[in-house]
Amino acid sequence: MALPTPLQAFSGVPKTTAAPDKQTVVDGEKMTGAQALVRALEDLGVKDVFGIPGGAILPVYHQIKDDTKFRFVLMRHEQAAGHAAEGYAVATGEVGVCIVTSGPGATNVVTAIADANMDSVPMVVITGQVGVGAIGTDAFQEADIVGITYPVTKHSYLVTNAQDIPRVLAEAYYIARTGRPGPVVVDLTKTAQTGSMYYSWPQRMILPGYNPTLKAHGRVLSDAAKLFEQAYRPVLYVGGGAVRSNASAEVAKLAEVTGAPIVTTLPARGIVPDSNPKNLGMLGMHGTVAATGAAQRADLLVAIGARFDDRVTGNLAAFAPAARVIHIDIDPAEIGKNRQPDVPIVGDVATVLRDLIPEIERSQAIHGKPDLTYWWKELDGLRKDYPIDYDQPCDQPTDGSLQPQWVVRQLSKHADPSTIWVTGVGQHQMWASQLVDFENPHSWISSGGLGTMGFGLPAAIGAVAGSQREFGGKKPVWLIDGDGSFQMTSEELATATLDGTPLKIAILNNSVYGMVRQWQTLFFDHHYSQTNLLDGEARENTPADEFVDVPDFVKLAEAYGCVGLRAFTEEEAVAAIEKANAINDRTVLIDFRVWKDAMVWPMVAAGASNDAVTYRPGTQPLLRQGGDGAAEGTGAAQSDRA
């Protein structure tokens, strides 16, 4: 039997006319709950907050004034407020904070909460709620946000008493950033906001049972070292947990000590520089052949802050079939969830690796270091023969438009080395992950686990705010987006202009939902059902009754006070990129007209073994090398979220 949520349980308590609760006498400054919330955020060191006001949260907004110590960024949609907080958190390593109202304001932010939960992004979401007496009455803009978000939050609070606000905020902030990071919801009743309380700081947190494990326990480190001692085909499979742990140096050191190659998941791009010869790139559905092949041929797979996601593993039963597994993760629920490890290690990635590396070095001093010459010869062969490129005949546009892959490469080539890269979701996201040169950690922000279209623009605004706060604005932000993904949150151009968060936007405009079209081409008999967007279909000589360029992205940008540019040719594209890089006081949007039939290669069909990775149509190099995987059910794509 399912247990009721806190709001459901609260609603079930008979309403009485009992006398108001007596305020416990405590030391502190008397103020309202709304004042306490703003003060608590300031005392927590919060510097930037994103959100939109509304009726049930107005007492809090009334206390946000010119002398408030944090900057408030007014977004245009609550989902965007959540994504902006995510982008800020990933760019800075701090907790992202957003404040929205009850009902539709709270439900609008659910997508961002789910996104942060999937990608382990530290975030505190403060939502308004109707007064205590109105709970359970279907009051105006009442919604059980605690119940709605139960499956997609790390923790939730329903606050009914003003005196609890400072403690709850302290706990929420701590929970969001410790252990496996994630989103925490604080649902704040209007009663708590307007009630009186006595404020003091710091607060004593009450978190019995919440004790994240940071250091490895028992003999697991020596057991792991023994597996390295016996491995001649080791692979370090590095995920987003390593990024959240700031374990860049430790991962690079482990690769140096063991000689093992590094393969990364999508969220872990940039954890070690692409120029590091040990880095084979991303593995999985659209990963490099070398990275995917390394995992498939490994005799030891070391999962570091990774969760064996289906887009990485393909057919799970056929993933790394001969490998023994060491799994390092701070979340014990991830250990053994999808793949049973031979050595499970629960702990913070950076802490565990700092303890593991000396253990391996001691083992090597006694037993020597395995000879990986033949392993690297095989991997270097795959890397040389099957690079990420766009020079094959099937990659060449047939309509005179730009190659989207070429555009991404030019964006990377002309960018400041410290650039923070943000994407939406779709083909452009995969090309960016493949073709941008990542040399710094925390330089890649994208929606991984949830695959949220519309993530890009608000997340980029959050990244700009983070760059301004933590890096003096010296890290420029480029958003690479698709025309479909961009239109889901394009209203945030107003925020970029009016709230002083200028960025640079590259729209790879193919006038279709590109990833869906790719799946329709490969798996659905070229039936392009509901994927043509007609937002960039023709340049000239278009019949008057044919709807094209809706919207016209250049005019849209200009309407929002941004610089709008368009590029049809390579010469125009390079000139537009150079102009965008020279403008830093306003947002610049470039509408790149790219080929709608371009595809993301390599590719592993959904449900197939990674051995069946297709480099280009008709070329499956791992099968030709003796892999026994076979393409199985491909599944179906419903949108660019596929």
Side-chain angles (χ1 to χ4, degrees):
M1 180 178 178
L3 295 174
T5 69
L7 199 60
Q8 290 168 337
F10 189 90
S11 301
V13 176
K15 302 295 187 294
T16 67
T17 56
D21 291 339
K22 292 183 178 180
Q23 172 69 56
T24 302
V25 178
V26 295
D27 294 329
E29 180 184 349
K30 187 175 182 179
M31 61 180 66
T32 66
Q35 289 173 309
L37 184 133
V38 172
R39 180 77 67 85
L41 290 175
E42 292 176 332
D43 285 340
L44 284 166
V46 173
K47 301 297 184 185
D48 299 272
V49 175
F50 307 86
I52 298 177
I57 198 70
L58 271 183
V60 168
Y61 275 83
H62 184 59
Q63 300 304 324
I64 299 175
K65 302 176 181 178
D66 290 342
D67 60 351
T68 300
K69 293 180 181 177
F70 56 78
R71 170 191 185 184
F72 186 86
V73 179
L74 176 63
M75 307 300 290
R76 297 304 186 268
H77 192 282
E78 290 87 0
Q79 178 184 343
H83 292 323
E86 287 187 88
Y88 182 90
V90 177
T92 64
E94 301 294 333
V95 177
V97 179
C98 63
I99 305 175
V100 302
T101 192
S102 65
T107 58
N108 278 346
V109 82
V110 170
T111 297
I113 294 170
D115 191 275
N117 190 61
M118 288 285 276
D119 287 353
S120 302
V121 177
M123 182 165 70
V124 171
V125 179
I126 300 164
T127 60
Q129 184 56 269
V130 298
V132 167
I135 290 178
T137 68
D138 290 333
F140 179 66
Q141 292 191 338
E142 178 189 2
D144 181 2
I145 194 63
V146 171
I148 290 168
T149 60
Y150 245 33
V152 293
T153 55
K154 185 176 179 182
H155 195 61
S156 303
Y157 290 92
L158 173 64
V159 184
T160 60
N161 190 322
Q163 191 62 50
D164 293 333
I165 289 175
R167 174 185 58 81
V168 166
L169 261 292
E171 291 177 4
Y173 198 82
Y174 177 74
I175 292 170
R177 65 184 172 85
T178 56
R180 178 178 181 171
V184 178
V185 169
V186 178
D187 197 27
L188 201 60
T189 62
K190 206 163 187 180
T191 309
Q193 296 174 56
T194 57
S196 296
M197 56 84 66
Y198 292 88
Y199 186 88
S200 63
W201 195 267
Q203 286 285 308
R204 178 177 175 270
M205 296 186 293
I206 306 173
L207 296 172
Y210 182 68
N211 297 296
T213 300
L214 301 181
K215 291 181 68 69
H217 291 171
R219 297 178 52 85
V220 289
L221 295 180
S222 60
D223 291 342
K226 287 178 183 177
L227 290 190
F228 272 105
E229 175 189 323
Q230 301 162 4
Y232 289 85
R233 305 167 83 89
V235 172
L236 307 183
Y237 156 41
V238 183
V243 178
R244 300 291 177 264
S245 180
N246 295 310
S248 176
E250 289 79 5
V251 169
K253 180 68 173 178
L254 181 63
E256 178 187 340
V257 167
T258 63
I262 298 166
V263 302
T264 75
T265 65
L266 178 70
R269 293 292 286 122
I271 185 71
V272 293
D274 284 348
S275 57
N276 186 324
K278 294 287 196 299
N279 186 0
L280 299 181
M282 186 174 72
L283 81 162
M285 179 172 280
H286 292 298
T288 69
V289 171
T292 301
Q296 290 303 99
R297 303 290 183 262
D299 63 3
L300 175 63
L301 190 69
V302 187
I304 304 173
R307 56 189 178 85
F308 293 88
D309 172 72
D310 63 290
R311 292 291 160 109
V312 163
T313 67
N315 183 341
L316 183 61
F319 179 65
R324 289 183 288 185
V325 173
I326 300 169
H327 194 171
I328 305 169
D329 204 291
I330 199 166
D331 184 358
E334 289 296 339
I335 306 290
K337 184 178 78 174
N338 293 324
R339 174 73 174 256
Q340 192 63 41
D342 297 273
V343 178
I345 305 178
V346 177
D348 170 67
V349 165
T351 302
V352 169
L353 293 186
R354 282 194 291 267
D355 292 340
L356 175 60
I357 290 169
E359 193 75 25
I360 293 172
E361 290 174 326
R362 281 191 291 270
S363 175
Q364 290 176 346
I366 298 171
H367 302 286
K369 188 174 180 179
D371 184 359
L372 306 185
T373 302
Y374 291 102
W375 182 222
W376 272 106
K377 182 178 180 181
E378 179 179 346
L379 298 178
D380 285 338
L382 288 174
R383 183 154 53 182
K384 178 174 180 267
D385 294 339
Y386 305 102
I388 296 293
D389 65 25
Y390 42 90
D391 296 329
Q392 305 300 317
C394 64
D395 299 319
Q396 305 308 312
T398 58
D399 61 357
S401 58
L402 291 166
Q403 271 185 305
Q405 303 97 318
W406 178 88
V407 172
V408 173
R409 181 63 83 187
Q410 294 304 310
L411 289 167
S412 178
K413 177 181 177 182
H414 289 84
D416 186 298
S418 65
T419 295
I420 298 172
W421 298 92
V422 187
T423 73
V425 169
Q427 286 181 312
H428 67 275
Q429 176 190 31
M430 296 297 101
W431 286 318
S433 70
Q434 292 176 337
L435 294 164
V436 169
D437 290 321
F438 293 101
E439 293 297 313
N440 302 301
H442 306 293
S443 60
W444 169 247
I445 302 174
S446 193
S447 173
L450 200 64
T452 305
M453 291 178 69
F455 172 89
L457 179 55
I461 289 171
V464 173
S467 175
Q468 292 170 337
R469 176 67 61 190
E470 299 294 329
F471 313 111
K474 294 180 180 178
K475 289 189 175 183
V477 176
W478 264 104
L479 166 64
I480 300 177
D481 217 340
D483 49 318
S485 187
F486 179 79
Q487 289 183 75
M488 292 195 172
T489 50
S490 61
E491 77 285 338
E492 300 308 321
L493 287 174
T495 303
T497 296
L498 297 176
D499 278 79
T501 52
L503 65 145
K504 307 173 198 306
I505 303 169
I507 297 180
L508 303 188
N509 183 1
N510 56 10
S511 194
V512 297
Y513 287 125
M515 188 62 83
V516 184
R517 184 180 177 89
Q518 177 166 337
W519 282 48
Q520 288 173 331
T521 299
L522 297 174
F523 310 126
F524 292 91
D525 301 322
H526 298 78
H527 177 49
Y528 301 118
S529 176
Q530 310 307 317
T531 47
N532 291 320
L533 296 176
L534 300 178
D535 54 24
E537 193 70 7
R539 180 179 184 183
E540 58 187 358
N541 300 324
T542 301
D545 59 349
E546 185 175 343
F547 291 95
V548 297
D549 279 355
V550 179
D552 181 320
F553 288 111
V554 171
K555 291 181 179 178
L556 182 69
E558 293 171 346
Y560 279 110
C562 307
V563 176
L565 305 171
R566 182 174 287 122
F568 292 97
T569 67
E570 292 187 354
E571 292 76 14
E572 291 173 347
V574 171
I577 292 169
E578 291 176 343
K579 184 173 182 178
N581 283 329
I583 297 173
N584 296 306
D585 60 343
R586 284 188 292 167
T587 291
V588 183
L589 181 153
I590 309 174
D591 176 11
F592 293 99
R593 295 299 176 86
V594 301
W595 187 35
K596 66 183 177 183
D597 284 314
M599 293 196 187
V600 183
W601 301 109
M603 181 177 183
V604 179
S609 164
N610 279 358
D611 280 323
V613 58
T614 301
Y615 179 64
R616 290 294 189 282
T619 303
Q620 294 180 297
L622 300 186
L623 286 180
R624 191 164 67 241
Q625 288 192 4
D628 56 3
E632 299 174 9
T634 60
Q638 298 301 320
S639 72
D640 259 16
R641 299 176 179 87

